[in-house]
Amino acid sequence: QGSRSNVRLRWGGWLDCGQTIGVEFDLFSLGQGETPFSFSSSGSPLLARPFFNVITGKQASELVSHPDYLEGTIDGRVSEYFHSGGVDFRMNMCCEECCPDVCDEEVLCGGGECSRAEVYAGRLRGLARRHWRPDRYRVDLIAGYRAYRLNDSLNVHEDLETTGPVPGKPYIGIPTTFVVDDVFRSRNEFNGGELGMIAQFYRGRWSLELLAKVGFGNNRQNVSISGHTAITDPEGTTVEYDGGLLALEGTNIGRYARNDFVVIPQLGVELGYQVNCHLRAYAGYNFLYWSNVIRAAEQIDMSVNPTYIPGQEDPPSGEARPAFAFHDSDFWAQGLNAGLEWRF
């Protein structure tokens, strides 16, 4: 929950003096966001992790603490990382005096070949006219390549220790310690084309920019599920297993991948103020919507066959649960941005 800040960088240039064709690169990142959690009990209150027991067909739980025979701690974190980068070609579609004659050497120099200083001075004069004209507008088409990355994970860790005899499990000594881990990770990698429009309106020193674009291409979805359990008996002997509680060996532990075609629209609005011929201050709002992404926590199957849980006296039997299946969801991000733009 909450918001976080990071950075967005943008660089571009016109390929002609009339500023009708250009190229632009951009990169933004929301950085790493984490939500930790932790609960501990020496026995009271009772703590437990719920699951659905597929053998009994009823709700059940794995104890983390119990007043009579168990104390423990459960902690973990949910983390997320989102960033994007791309390159766009920009072509002017229509404008109102947005392409002054700053490149015409005859206009600039009265005929003949211009010196570099004269051309530069003429461009500055044209730039000034563009900045200070009371009413102007331009509409540009943008097309290019876009990459998005969305990674997130859910880690759950338990430290448990018996303080008394466990009912129905006389083979567990006192004290026996249990270290249990469940780790779920997901990664979405989008690579595709991008198409959109930018409309700019000017009045005096003020400017308004409207952006609408859509990305379309392949989203590579990757899921990694792992678990680990270490049991140390009263003599200090440790036995380790693959599997925790919701990530179990022989059921859902492993790596999974698939490809999916997606469409990612983005909208933006930006208000700017021209400080001088080169410097512009601006602030804006952006909204992005990404459908059919995979999130780590949504790949969890809460149905468990307890015979697969590590440390059981008998070998596993029955239905292999939890099972893995891809579960899609939607991701959206909105943000405020502010910055300075320098043109030369």
Side-chain angles (χ1 to χ4, degrees), residues 160-171:
L160 317 176
E161 183 175 315
T162 59
T163 57
V166 179
K169 297 183 178 180
Y171 55 88

Side-chain angles (χ1 to χ4, degrees), residues 81-240:
Y81 181 77
F82 177 56
H83 68 276
S84 173
V87 56
D88 285 315
F89 288 96
R90 183 166 173 172
M91 182 176 66
N92 180 247
M93 303 297 291
C94 62
C95 60
E96 171 65 25
E97 288 199 18
C98 57
C99 309
D101 52 4
V102 297
C103 294
D104 192 328
E105 293 186 348
E106 291 189 358
V107 173
L108 290 176
C109 311
E113 185 178 352
C114 291
S115 69
R116 179 173 299 179
E118 289 171 324
V119 172
Y120 182 68
R123 289 177 182 173
L124 287 183
R125 290 194 298 271
L127 185 63
R129 290 198 300 272
R130 291 197 302 278
H131 288 327
W132 310 130
R133 179 177 171 84
D135 297 289
R136 295 186 299 105
Y137 72 87
R138 68 177 291 154
V139 178
D140 294 344
L141 172 70
I142 56 174
Y145 162 78
R146 174 64 50 183
Y148 290 106
R149 299 291 184 272
L150 174 63
N151 302 343
D152 69 351
S153 64
L154 169 63
N155 295 8
V156 182
H157 175 80
E158 297 179 58
D159 281 302
L160 317 176
E161 183 175 315
T162 59
T163 57
V166 179
K169 297 183 178 180
Y171 55 88
I172 299 179
I174 308 170
T176 297
T177 62
F178 301 82
V179 177
V180 182
D181 290 283
D182 288 328
V183 181
F184 295 81
R185 294 189 176 94
S186 71
R187 184 173 72 251
N188 297 269
E189 299 178 333
F190 170 84
N191 291 277
E194 186 172 63
L195 188 65
M197 302 287 289
I198 297 178
Q200 296 173 313
F201 304 90
Y202 302 87
R203 187 172 184 84
R205 292 174 179 254
W206 293 96
S207 63
L208 176 67
E209 178 177 294
L210 303 177
L211 166 70
K213 62 180 180 179
V214 60
F216 48 91
N218 182 68
N219 180 30
R220 178 69 173 176
Q221 301 175 342
N222 294 273
V223 176
S224 172
I225 301 175
S226 61
H228 179 262
T229 297
I231 303 176
T232 303
D233 63 22
E235 287 73 35
T237 303
T238 299
V239 181
E240 299 188 15

Side-chain angles (χ1 to χ4, degrees), residues 12-30:
W14 297 108
L15 303 180
D16 65 334
C17 294
Q19 300 187 1
T20 60
I21 300 177
V23 62
E24 183 176 83
F25 301 87
D26 75 273
L27 174 69
F28 76 83
S29 171
L30 292 184

